[in-house]
Amino acid sequence: MQARKGNLMNVRTDVKVLDATLRDGGLCNNFMFTDEFVKELYKANIKSGVDYMEFGYRASKSLFNESDYGKWKFCNEEDIRAIVGDNVSDMKISVMADVGRCDFRTDFIPKEESVIDMVRVACYIHQMPAALEMIEYFHDLGYETTCNIMAISQASSNQIDEALAMLASSSVDVIYLVDSYGSLFPENASELAKLYLAAAEKAGKQVGFHGHNNQNLAFANTIETLSYGVSYLDATAFAMGRGAGNCAMELLLGFLKNPKYNLYGVLTFIEKYMLPLREQGVVWGYDLQYMLTGQLNRHPREAMDFTAQKRSDYCEFYKGLLDNF
């Protein structure tokens, strides 16, 4: 039986905080962030003690039209270097590569030539063979790797067991528990975390958690899974992320006891950059439509359409969801 690890007064030196503002938040504005925004977020994360900063996706330029998106949909090496130079800081740089949506064999250079430290491979559970191929490729190039299995709340226990066994025998460094639909509660998030930890620890790997805030539980689920040994924790400034958003960086850094983390950098960034972004009309965060898709363990796309149409007929929306359940 997995016991809780540490307590509210302890510093857990295994904990790593990853900022996913550009990547998950980019889904709210098609990655149309100014260079100033990105540069200041980079500096704020360093000041706040954040361990990793995810710059976005490295998506296929043959599948996605570059003119439709900001540069962080593609994370060209030169664009990252224009922000970070050689990244002479303790914070590491990551990008995400989606199975089936990237040209990983042609778009990545060896780690020794890149400013990127970690590649996070995102997949659905039926895509595990393709994810493993990518993980081994990135590992051979010298990168740290994670596997982020999305929509795990809709996978069967047999599928989860098999996927974890496959990852345990791979070269992946971190296995991520991802609550894509914001449907998990602390009780079942912790049970899944224990399952992931049991498989990962035997293989000398670590576990991460990425939450969505459909039921206002992204922070609660993050610290609950942390308490059982999950060590890689995703968060975003002002909780910016697709739909209902993510675990708020300011909540997480305020909770962690390690003196390396502090709030001033992220608070200053929120004041100067996140509030204006919201005033410009970029929309994210908890609302009833996201709560309803979270409670029903559904992809938030219907709630996102509801939001885009500026609807407020929540009862009709709920009935429609139940009719298509």
Side-chain angles (χ1 to χ4, degrees):
M1 185 70 176
Q2 195 89 23
R4 291 189 190 268
K5 188 173 181 180
N7 59 48
L8 290 175
M9 297 296 291
N10 285 347
V11 170
R12 285 258 308 275
T13 56
D14 60 308
V15 169
K16 306 292 182 188
V17 173
L18 182 143
D19 172 67
T21 307
L22 292 181
R23 203 270 310 162
D24 217 318
L27 296 168
C28 304
N29 68 345
N30 281 342
F31 305 89
M32 298 290 186
F33 297 106
T34 65
D35 286 354
E36 180 187 354
F37 181 100
V38 177
K39 182 77 170 180
E40 292 303 315
L41 177 60
Y42 170 71
K43 293 194 289 190
N45 281 329
I46 292 171
K47 288 177 184 174
S48 297
V50 168
D51 300 285
Y52 290 82
M53 178 173 170
E54 187 168 59
F55 269 70
Y57 290 97
R58 183 157 286 179
S60 168
K61 293 172 186 174
S62 60
L63 290 177
F64 299 96
N65 189 339
E66 286 186 83
S67 63
D68 292 339
Y69 300 92
K71 61 183 71 171
W72 309 111
K73 175 79 170 178
F74 305 98
C75 284
N76 294 325
E77 186 77 26
E78 60 271 22
D79 290 331
I80 300 177
R81 284 192 180 274
I83 301 295
V84 309
D86 289 329
N87 186 31
V88 288
S89 76
D90 292 333
M91 185 175 71
K92 295 183 176 182
I93 304 300
S94 87
V95 297
M96 181 166 276
D98 266 358
V99 167
R101 295 183 177 185
C102 68
D103 301 315
F104 67 96
R105 292 194 180 277
T106 56
D107 287 353
F108 283 85
I109 57 179
K111 165 66 192 90
E112 61 191 21
E113 302 168 25
S114 175
V115 75
I116 296 166
D117 300 286
M118 172 188 278
V119 182
R120 307 212 298 171
V121 175
C123 67
Y124 291 102
I125 203 156
H126 67 276
Q127 298 172 316
M128 285 306 303
L132 290 167
E133 180 186 16
M134 290 171 64
I135 287 163
E136 298 304 333
Y137 184 81
F138 295 134
H139 174 77
D140 290 345
L141 286 180
Y143 294 100
E144 297 176 38
T145 58
T146 80
C147 185
N148 297 39
I149 310 173
M150 300 179 288
I152 203 67
S153 57
Q154 290 200 332
S156 71
S157 57
N158 286 342
Q159 286 178 313
I160 295 171
D161 288 341
E162 189 166 349
L164 291 175
M166 294 165 79
L167 288 167
S169 61
S170 78
S171 299
V172 78
D173 297 296
V174 187
I175 306 171
Y176 258 87
L177 169 55
V178 182
D179 184 16
S180 302
Y181 299 166
S183 63
L184 296 180
F185 296 98
E187 292 85 350
N188 50 10
S190 61
E191 289 305 309
L192 281 168
K194 292 176 196 176
L195 198 64
Y196 276 57
L197 287 159
E201 287 174 352
K202 286 179 190 171
K205 304 181 186 304
Q206 292 175 295
V207 175
F209 182 77
H210 178 91
H212 276 265
N213 211 31
N214 298 60
Q215 301 186 86
N216 269 329
L217 290 171
F219 174 59
N221 288 335
T222 299
I223 63 173
E224 179 72 359
T225 57
L226 163 70
S227 77
Y228 284 100
V230 167
S231 51
Y232 278 66
L233 309 175
D234 284 14
T236 60
F238 218 36
M240 185 187 188
R242 184 203 64 192
N246 302 100
C247 175
M249 181 65 76
E250 57 274 18
L251 279 171
L252 183 59
L253 295 185
F255 171 82
L256 294 170
K257 299 303 183 287
N258 192 330
K260 72 169 282 194
Y261 300 122
N262 73 81
L263 281 171
Y264 289 105
V266 69
L267 291 177
T268 302
F269 182 79
I270 288 169
E271 283 180 38
K272 292 185 176 179
Y273 293 95
M274 300 305 295
L275 294 179
L277 201 64
R278 181 158 271 174
E279 288 163 7
Q280 291 161 20
V282 181
V283 178
W284 72 90
Y286 169 81
D287 208 335
L288 290 178
Q289 61 270 31
Y290 294 115
M291 175 198 78
L292 295 169
T293 58
Q295 288 178 346
L296 296 174
N297 193 16
R298 293 269 283 272
H299 192 288
R301 63 175 63 89
E302 293 152 300
M304 292 163 71
D305 288 341
F306 181 98
T307 305
Q309 294 169 35
K310 298 184 178 178
R311 290 171 57 186
S312 58
D313 53 333
Y314 299 110
C315 287
E316 285 302 313
F317 178 68
Y318 187 41
K319 285 193 286 185
L321 289 175
L322 291 174
D323 286 344
N324 294 307
F325 196 60

